[in-house]
Amino acid sequence: MMLKSRLLAAQLPIAIALAAIGMLAVFSVDELGRAGRDILSNNYRSVLAAQRMKESLERIDSATLFVVAGEREKGEAQLKLQRPSCEAELRTQQGNLTESGEAEATLAVREAWDAYVEQLDALPAAADPKAHYLNHLEPAFFAAKHAADVVVTLNQDAMVLKSEKLRLDSRRFNTVTVVALLLSLLVGFGFSLVLTERAMRPLSVLGQAVRRLGEGDLAARARVKGPSDLEQLGRDFDAMAGRLQAYRESSLGELLQAQQSSQAAIDSLPDPVLVFSRDGLRQGTNRAGEALNLSEEPLRALLEKVRGHVLSGKGFYVPRGYEEAVRVGQVFLLPRGSPVTNESLAVVGATVLLQDVTRLRRFDELKNDLVATVAHEFRTPLTSLRMAIHLTVELAAGPLTDKQLELLVAAREDCERLQGIVDDLLDLSRLQSGRLELERKPVKVSSLVDEVIDAHRAAAALREVTLTAALGPFAADQQVDADAARLGLVLANLVSNAIRYTPAGGTVTVGFDGARFEVRDTGAGILPEHQKRIFEKFFRVPGTRPEGAGLGLAIAREIVEAHGGQLGVDSTLGQGSRFWFTVA
Ligand code: ADP
């Protein structure tokens, strides 16, 4: 059976209930009608017959009066007309005896009428019509009329009783109909509800299966039993779920395969690879990575730093040098971080590669040691060389020709440069090997700035550059916790660079805004691609005058970072640069 037929069938009980009520109503109305009809035919006919009989009696009586008065002809004509009609009405009444006592009353009418008729027949032969009328006819007339009155009253009383009964019956019928209507509607509705619910049950089974499938349970099946069209729908749904499950299983297989091969690919890498999710949780790693204890310091802190850098959207993390490598057991690992992005290029994770740089780091250490040793070894001969040239230039060893003096002055300048480079190299190697012990104590910002300005005033004047301090309103009393000598070196480096790379007429400003030290200049500025590299050792922007060895900013950064701060630059080509650093 189809769902439509079932739903129609479910309406049947209500329809049957309504039909039953209808039939009851028809029957009851019929009953009431019949009772009304009975009143009309049983009583009203009797009342009518008795009334008519009475009218005929009146007319017969007046006809006898005509005869008594001498109008015999007129009286007999009227008598001829009225006697049969009175007789006919009496017969009608005799054939309509319905009430108890009516038969006796009608018999009394018959006897009275017959007695009256007897006296009527005797009237023509009466010697004294008038006396006959008064003595015989008139009493018989009243007797017959009275008998007819009894029949009228009897039937009228019966009519009143019956109509009262009819009224009560119709009221009872109303009550019965209302009660039956309510009851049958209730029962019919109950049945309809049960049938509808039964017809709709397969739909709820199907609904549940659809919901489970929607929630990802691909094994959900409806297996509907019920109306043929719903069974068909259930079969179609089950077939669809089956195909979906098969597809999921096959795509899951492919996915697993793809995942296995990408896992195999990163497993084949000798260096540890770690993959982090957007919220910093580790999502995957290769075999080399699994062997690491990631919660051990300093590896944990390093990973934290690289992951934080990449996930905060700063792009790739590229280490600055081998000194960033951390020691894990016998090996040194150098981190590199790359962002994992989605289709809209938003960062959704980070990949960290820990490159084993043990050998390279050893080379770097050897190189640093070599540089340090060479610089150290250079210092003593360089000092005596400088002293010798100084003394010679100052003519302590006798007179010189102009040409000799010119050559020796140039040699003295180069010796000074060489001394600077050797000092820088030694500083750097000390910083990098961690041998530099900071002596931190509260230092007044204003004294740091004043000192550096005093030390560079002459150099600035020589290059016609204005050198000023720009301290914020409270900076005068502000203090930082720092190694005054080292931080002074950083400031000195930045200021001497600014003076060196600013053309005559420019300005160099040293400032402190409450959080950062700044050295601003109105010099040539630095190209964006050079801005990162100027902090590397020995890097010099191509085309600049060969005055330094490219070590100043590398040393400055080491010192600032040893203080837990950061050193950076904002620069626009042609407008100047702003070097800044913080102290933690
Ligand atoms: P150097 O001793 O050669 O100055 P630094 O490490 O101090 O070495 O600086 C690296 C390079 O950065 C310099 O060679 C120069 O090209 C560039 N540089 C540094 N400071 C400035 C500046 N204020 N304006 C423009 N270029 C600068």
PDB file of all heavy atoms in Angstrom, residues 51-68:
ATOM      1  N   GLN A  51     -65.498  18.301  16.412  1.00  0.00           N
ATOM      2  CA  GLN A  51     -65.891  19.707  16.217  1.00  0.00           C
ATOM      3  C   GLN A  51     -66.899  19.824  15.087  1.00  0.00           C
ATOM      4  O   GLN A  51     -67.904  20.520  15.202  1.00  0.00           O
ATOM      5  CB  GLN A  51     -64.636  20.561  15.898  1.00  0.00           C
ATOM      6  CG  GLN A  51     -63.678  20.774  17.037  1.00  0.00           C
ATOM      7  CD  GLN A  51     -64.192  21.775  18.066  1.00  0.00           C
ATOM      8  OE1 GLN A  51     -65.402  22.131  18.053  1.00  0.00           O
ATOM      9  NE2 GLN A  51     -63.367  22.163  19.015  1.00  0.00           N
ATOM     10  N   ARG A  52     -66.549  19.150  13.961  1.00  0.00           N
ATOM     11  CA  ARG A  52     -67.454  19.243  12.802  1.00  0.00           C
ATOM     12  C   ARG A  52     -68.843  18.665  13.155  1.00  0.00           C
ATOM     13  O   ARG A  52     -69.877  19.178  12.717  1.00  0.00           O
ATOM     14  CB  ARG A  52     -66.856  18.500  11.621  1.00  0.00           C
ATOM     15  CG  ARG A  52     -65.792  19.320  10.929  1.00  0.00           C
ATOM     16  CD  ARG A  52     -65.270  18.582   9.748  1.00  0.00           C
ATOM     17  NE  ARG A  52     -64.139  19.248   9.179  1.00  0.00           N
ATOM     18  CZ  ARG A  52     -63.218  18.662   8.465  1.00  0.00           C
ATOM     19  NH1 ARG A  52     -63.280  17.352   8.290  1.00  0.00           N
ATOM     20  NH2 ARG A  52     -62.233  19.358   7.948  1.00  0.00           N
ATOM     21  N   MET A  53     -68.761  17.549  13.935  1.00  0.00           N
ATOM     22  CA  MET A  53     -70.027  16.924  14.343  1.00  0.00           C
ATOM     23  C   MET A  53     -70.850  17.927  15.162  1.00  0.00           C
ATOM     24  O   MET A  53     -72.069  18.058  14.940  1.00  0.00           O
ATOM     25  CB  MET A  53     -69.703  15.692  15.195  1.00  0.00           C
ATOM     26  CG  MET A  53     -70.776  14.634  15.141  1.00  0.00           C
ATOM     27  SD  MET A  53     -70.241  13.250  16.171  1.00  0.00           S
ATOM     28  CE  MET A  53     -71.838  12.802  16.811  1.00  0.00           C
ATOM     29  N   LYS A  54     -70.164  18.633  16.033  1.00  0.00           N
ATOM     30  CA  LYS A  54     -70.855  19.627  16.854  1.00  0.00           C
ATOM     31  C   LYS A  54     -71.465  20.721  15.976  1.00  0.00           C
ATOM     32  O   LYS A  54     -72.608  21.144  16.180  1.00  0.00           O
ATOM     33  CB  LYS A  54     -69.874  20.261  17.861  1.00  0.00           C
ATOM     34  CG  LYS A  54     -69.739  19.459  19.131  1.00  0.00           C
ATOM     35  CD  LYS A  54     -68.567  19.932  19.988  1.00  0.00           C
ATOM     36  CE  LYS A  54     -68.826  21.300  20.536  1.00  0.00           C
ATOM     37  NZ  LYS A  54     -67.641  21.785  21.263  1.00  0.00           N
ATOM     38  N   GLU A  55     -70.675  21.153  14.971  1.00  0.00           N
ATOM     39  CA  GLU A  55     -71.215  22.198  14.066  1.00  0.00           C
ATOM     40  C   GLU A  55     -72.475  21.670  13.367  1.00  0.00           C
ATOM     41  O   GLU A  55     -73.503  22.357  13.259  1.00  0.00           O
ATOM     42  CB  GLU A  55     -70.160  22.579  13.025  1.00  0.00           C
ATOM     43  CG  GLU A  55     -69.164  23.598  13.559  1.00  0.00           C
ATOM     44  CD  GLU A  55     -67.978  23.760  12.615  1.00  0.00           C
ATOM     45  OE1 GLU A  55     -68.124  23.512  11.391  1.00  0.00           O
ATOM     46  OE2 GLU A  55     -66.865  24.109  13.137  1.00  0.00           O
ATOM     47  N   SER A  56     -72.368  20.394  12.870  1.00  0.00           N
ATOM     48  CA  SER A  56     -73.538  19.816  12.174  1.00  0.00           C
ATOM     49  C   SER A  56     -74.744  19.729  13.118  1.00  0.00           C
ATOM     50  O   SER A  56     -75.889  20.028  12.716  1.00  0.00           O
ATOM     51  CB  SER A  56     -73.203  18.417  11.651  1.00  0.00           C
ATOM     52  OG  SER A  56     -72.277  18.520  10.615  1.00  0.00           O
ATOM     53  N   LEU A  57     -74.470  19.355  14.372  1.00  0.00           N
ATOM     54  CA  LEU A  57     -75.561  19.255  15.367  1.00  0.00           C
ATOM     55  C   LEU A  57     -76.236  20.609  15.551  1.00  0.00           C
ATOM     56  O   LEU A  57     -77.467  20.686  15.584  1.00  0.00           O
ATOM     57  CB  LEU A  57     -74.995  18.767  16.713  1.00  0.00           C
ATOM     58  CG  LEU A  57     -74.753  17.261  16.835  1.00  0.00           C
ATOM     59  CD1 LEU A  57     -74.007  16.946  18.138  1.00  0.00           C
ATOM     60  CD2 LEU A  57     -76.097  16.517  16.837  1.00  0.00           C
ATOM     61  N   GLU A  58     -75.382  21.673  15.594  1.00  0.00           N
ATOM     62  CA  GLU A  58     -75.939  23.028  15.731  1.00  0.00           C
ATOM     63  C   GLU A  58     -76.859  23.332  14.579  1.00  0.00           C
ATOM     64  O   GLU A  58     -77.964  23.874  14.739  1.00  0.00           O
ATOM     65  CB  GLU A  58     -74.792  24.067  15.753  1.00  0.00           C
ATOM     66  CG  GLU A  58     -73.863  23.985  16.935  1.00  0.00           C
ATOM     67  CD  GLU A  58     -74.418  24.611  18.199  1.00  0.00           C
ATOM     68  OE1 GLU A  58     -75.531  25.172  18.154  1.00  0.00           O
ATOM     69  OE2 GLU A  58     -73.735  24.517  19.260  1.00  0.00           O
ATOM     70  N   ARG A  59     -76.355  22.954  13.380  1.00  0.00           N
ATOM     71  CA  ARG A  59     -77.167  23.300  12.190  1.00  0.00           C
ATOM     72  C   ARG A  59     -78.464  22.466  12.191  1.00  0.00           C
ATOM     73  O   ARG A  59     -79.545  22.959  11.821  1.00  0.00           O
ATOM     74  CB  ARG A  59     -76.337  23.037  10.919  1.00  0.00           C
ATOM     75  CG  ARG A  59     -75.237  24.077  10.825  1.00  0.00           C
ATOM     76  CD  ARG A  59     -74.901  24.433   9.409  1.00  0.00           C
ATOM     77  NE  ARG A  59     -73.797  25.385   9.473  1.00  0.00           N
ATOM     78  CZ  ARG A  59     -72.535  25.128   9.265  1.00  0.00           C
ATOM     79  NH1 ARG A  59     -72.183  23.905   8.930  1.00  0.00           N
ATOM     80  NH2 ARG A  59     -71.643  26.067   9.359  1.00  0.00           N
ATOM     81  N   ILE A  60     -78.355  21.186  12.562  1.00  0.00           N
ATOM     82  CA  ILE A  60     -79.549  20.334  12.618  1.00  0.00           C
ATOM     83  C   ILE A  60     -80.560  20.916  13.618  1.00  0.00           C
ATOM     84  O   ILE A  60     -81.766  21.007  13.332  1.00  0.00           O
ATOM     85  CB  ILE A  60     -79.154  18.887  12.997  1.00  0.00           C
ATOM     86  CG1 ILE A  60     -78.385  18.236  11.850  1.00  0.00           C
ATOM     87  CG2 ILE A  60     -80.399  18.044  13.350  1.00  0.00           C
ATOM     88  CD1 ILE A  60     -77.731  16.906  12.189  1.00  0.00           C
ATOM     89  N   ASP A  61     -79.958  21.396  14.739  1.00  0.00           N
ATOM     90  CA  ASP A  61     -80.820  21.986  15.770  1.00  0.00           C
ATOM     91  C   ASP A  61     -81.548  23.201  15.220  1.00  0.00           C
ATOM     92  O   ASP A  61     -82.780  23.359  15.402  1.00  0.00           O
ATOM     93  CB  ASP A  61     -79.943  22.356  16.977  1.00  0.00           C
ATOM     94  CG  ASP A  61     -80.777  22.941  18.108  1.00  0.00           C
ATOM     95  OD1 ASP A  61     -81.788  22.305  18.477  1.00  0.00           O
ATOM     96  OD2 ASP A  61     -80.413  24.028  18.625  1.00  0.00           O
ATOM     97  N   SER A  62     -80.819  24.046  14.475  1.00  0.00           N
ATOM     98  CA  SER A  62     -81.508  25.227  13.915  1.00  0.00           C
ATOM     99  C   SER A  62     -82.509  24.814  12.853  1.00  0.00           C
ATOM    100  O   SER A  62     -83.569  25.433  12.695  1.00  0.00           O
ATOM    101  CB  SER A  62     -80.466  26.221  13.380  1.00  0.00           C
ATOM    102  OG  SER A  62     -79.673  25.668  12.405  1.00  0.00           O
ATOM    103  N   ALA A  63     -82.195  23.681  12.121  1.00  0.00           N
ATOM    104  CA  ALA A  63     -83.151  23.192  11.100  1.00  0.00           C
ATOM    105  C   ALA A  63     -84.449  22.746  11.798  1.00  0.00           C
ATOM    106  O   ALA A  63     -85.559  23.048  11.306  1.00  0.00           O
ATOM    107  CB  ALA A  63     -82.506  22.027  10.329  1.00  0.00           C
ATOM    108  N   THR A  64     -84.330  22.060  12.952  1.00  0.00           N
ATOM    109  CA  THR A  64     -85.543  21.632  13.672  1.00  0.00           C
ATOM    110  C   THR A  64     -86.325  22.836  14.149  1.00  0.00           C
ATOM    111  O   THR A  64     -87.559  22.828  14.116  1.00  0.00           O
ATOM    112  CB  THR A  64     -85.167  20.757  14.896  1.00  0.00           C
ATOM    113  OG1 THR A  64     -84.245  21.458  15.699  1.00  0.00           O
ATOM    114  CG2 THR A  64     -84.598  19.421  14.486  1.00  0.00           C
ATOM    115  N   LEU A  65     -85.597  23.911  14.481  1.00  0.00           N
ATOM    116  CA  LEU A  65     -86.300  25.122  14.917  1.00  0.00           C
ATOM    117  C   LEU A  65     -87.102  25.714  13.764  1.00  0.00           C
ATOM    118  O   LEU A  65     -88.198  26.245  13.940  1.00  0.00           O
ATOM    119  CB  LEU A  65     -85.292  26.133  15.470  1.00  0.00           C
ATOM    120  CG  LEU A  65     -84.780  25.838  16.895  1.00  0.00           C
ATOM    121  CD1 LEU A  65     -83.739  26.860  17.310  1.00  0.00           C
ATOM    122  CD2 LEU A  65     -85.931  25.867  17.910  1.00  0.00           C
ATOM    123  N   PHE A  66     -86.470  25.647  12.508  1.00  0.00           N
ATOM    124  CA  PHE A  66     -87.230  26.105  11.310  1.00  0.00           C
ATOM    125  C   PHE A  66     -88.529  25.319  11.194  1.00  0.00           C
ATOM    126  O   PHE A  66     -89.603  25.879  10.960  1.00  0.00           O
ATOM    127  CB  PHE A  66     -86.395  25.867  10.030  1.00  0.00           C
ATOM    128  CG  PHE A  66     -85.380  26.978   9.793  1.00  0.00           C
ATOM    129  CD1 PHE A  66     -84.061  26.686   9.515  1.00  0.00           C
ATOM    130  CD2 PHE A  66     -85.790  28.334   9.821  1.00  0.00           C
ATOM    131  CE1 PHE A  66     -83.150  27.673   9.303  1.00  0.00           C
ATOM    132  CE2 PHE A  66     -84.873  29.308   9.601  1.00  0.00           C
ATOM    133  CZ  PHE A  66     -83.559  29.005   9.347  1.00  0.00           C
ATOM    134  N   VAL A  67     -88.420  23.989  11.358  1.00  0.00           N
ATOM    135  CA  VAL A  67     -89.612  23.128  11.212  1.00  0.00           C
ATOM    136  C   VAL A  67     -90.645  23.506  12.276  1.00  0.00           C
ATOM    137  O   VAL A  67     -91.847  23.679  11.956  1.00  0.00           O
ATOM    138  CB  VAL A  67     -89.219  21.627  11.336  1.00  0.00           C
ATOM    139  CG1 VAL A  67     -90.474  20.748  11.346  1.00  0.00           C
ATOM    140  CG2 VAL A  67     -88.308  21.221  10.186  1.00  0.00           C
ATOM    141  N   VAL A  68     -90.153  23.663  13.528  1.00  0.00           N
ATOM    142  CA  VAL A  68     -91.065  24.037  14.627  1.00  0.00           C
ATOM    143  C   VAL A  68     -91.708  25.365  14.341  1.00  0.00           C
ATOM    144  O   VAL A  68     -92.901  25.580  14.580  1.00  0.00           O
ATOM    145  CB  VAL A  68     -90.305  24.063  15.974  1.00  0.00           C
ATOM    146  CG1 VAL A  68     -91.178  24.681  17.073  1.00  0.00           C
ATOM    147  CG2 VAL A  68     -89.862  22.670  16.384  1.00  0.00           C
TER     148      VAL A  68
END
